[in-house]
């Protein structure tokens, strides 16, 4: 089988990927097209089921079918140890959710410090 021969994908960049396969472990997407004459395939990566949504997806196929779409917006995460291209739809959703909050400071979170008087400053 011929390999992808086009430009490399950029880590952290968002791509609109065409769904090429749906499995219980995730969705395969073509994020960069191959040759127009079909002599070389496009760049394909896997969006693992854990990277499809902010919330847990139990049925990958049902989730994708319910969206009724042929493409997904995904972020290219790079290659794993096996050299496979990793994609994330969750990263796109988190980025958009962060931008819709009007920017500003971080999330706070964590425990609040107990009410203690301020430590004396050395002179």
């Amino acid at each position: 089988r011929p390999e992808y021969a086009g430009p490399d994908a950029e880590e952290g960049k968002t791509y609109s990927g065409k769904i090429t396969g749906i499995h219980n472990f995730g969705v395969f997407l073509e994020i960069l097209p191959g040759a127009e004459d079909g002599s070389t395939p496009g760049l394909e990566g896997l969006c693992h089921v854990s990277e499809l949504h902010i919330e847990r997806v139990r049925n990958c196929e049902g989730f994708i079918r319910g969206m009724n779409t042929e493409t997904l917006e995904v972020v290219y995460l790079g290659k794993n140890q096996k050299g496979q291209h990793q994609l994330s739809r969750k990263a796109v959703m988190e980025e958009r959710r962060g931008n819709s909050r009007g920017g500003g400071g971080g999330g706070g979170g964590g425990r609040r410090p107990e009410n203690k008087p301020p430590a004396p400053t050395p002179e």
Side-chain angles (χ1 to χ4, degrees):
R1 168 180 154 146
E3 290 198 20
Y4 174 72
D8 288 333
E10 295 176 46
E11 279 189 40
K13 186 175 176 184
T14 302
Y15 293 90
S16 180
K18 179 183 171 207
I19 297 170
T20 58
I22 304 170
H23 301 274
N24 57 358
F25 54 84
V27 180
F28 284 98
L29 300 152
E30 182 182 276
I31 58 170
L32 292 171
E36 287 183 29
D37 64 1
S39 59
T40 59
L43 181 64
E44 194 173 79
L46 173 69
C47 183
H48 190 264
V49 64
S50 64
E51 294 291 335
L52 275 176
H53 199 274
I54 293 168
E55 295 175 17
R56 184 172 179 209
V57 174
R58 295 179 190 272
N59 179 351
C60 191
E61 190 168 342
F63 178 77
I64 297 297
R65 299 267 183 252
M67 292 175 64
N68 198 23
T69 183
E70 293 180 14
T71 60
L72 293 177
E73 294 261 320
V74 291
V75 170
Y76 180 68
L77 301 177
K79 291 183 180 181
N80 64 12
Q81 292 106 343
K82 296 178 183 177
Q84 298 164 325
H85 300 281
Q86 297 179 297
L87 308 171
S88 174
R89 179 174 174 264
K90 182 164 63 171
V92 174
M93 297 175 77
E94 287 171 343
E95 190 179 290
R96 289 193 180 146
R97 187 160 69 164
N99 289 344
S100 67
R101 288 187 181 157
R111 291 176 50 179
R112 292 185 137 184
E114 296 175 28
N115 289 334
K116 293 182 180 175
T121 54
E123 292 181 23

